[in-house]
Amino acid sequence: MKQIDELFTAAAIHPNEVQQQMLASHVRAMALRSLTGEPLPEVEAELFEDISPESMQLAQQVVDLFGNLPREEAWLLSVHFEVAKANA
């Protein structure tokens, strides 16, 4: 979470407390999937077409920290970045 906080700071994104809690829950689930190999349900890329490239890139950086998660994880995680960007 510290590394994610650094990404938020560098991108001038300021999640509120509820957004931080939801993000932490999501990251814990990602970490568990990384350890167990449990797959995500099928996710359609088209659902994330409105996510900004910046949010998608930040999410991919987080997913890359795990080293063994599919790109769909970044799609889902990008929503947290996109929502928090609206706080500015």
Side-chain angles (χ1 to χ4, degrees):
M1 288 304 298
K2 184 177 184 330
Q3 290 169 304
I4 295 171
D5 288 340
E6 291 170 2
L7 289 173
F8 275 137
T9 300
I13 298 172
H14 307 286
N16 64 33
E17 187 176 328
V18 171
Q19 291 166 340
Q20 280 282 47
Q21 290 172 350
M22 293 177 71
L23 174 64
S25 176
H26 187 154
V27 171
R28 279 192 297 274
M30 286 173 52
L32 184 60
R33 286 190 292 274
S34 175
L35 293 172
T36 65
E38 176 187 349
L40 284 172
E42 191 169 321
V43 179
E44 295 184 28
E46 296 81 33
L47 296 173
F48 304 92
E49 289 176 345
D50 292 335
I51 300 292
S52 70
E54 178 190 26
S55 292
M56 194 60 74
Q57 179 185 26
L58 291 169
Q60 187 62 56
Q61 286 179 274
V62 173
V63 169
D64 289 347
L65 294 172
F66 289 94
N68 66 339
L69 293 174
R71 65 184 174 155
E72 290 84 359
E73 291 279 4
W75 299 348
L76 294 170
L77 189 64
S78 69
V79 175
H80 293 281
F81 287 91
E82 195 71 11
V83 169
K85 280 174 44 179
N87 294 340

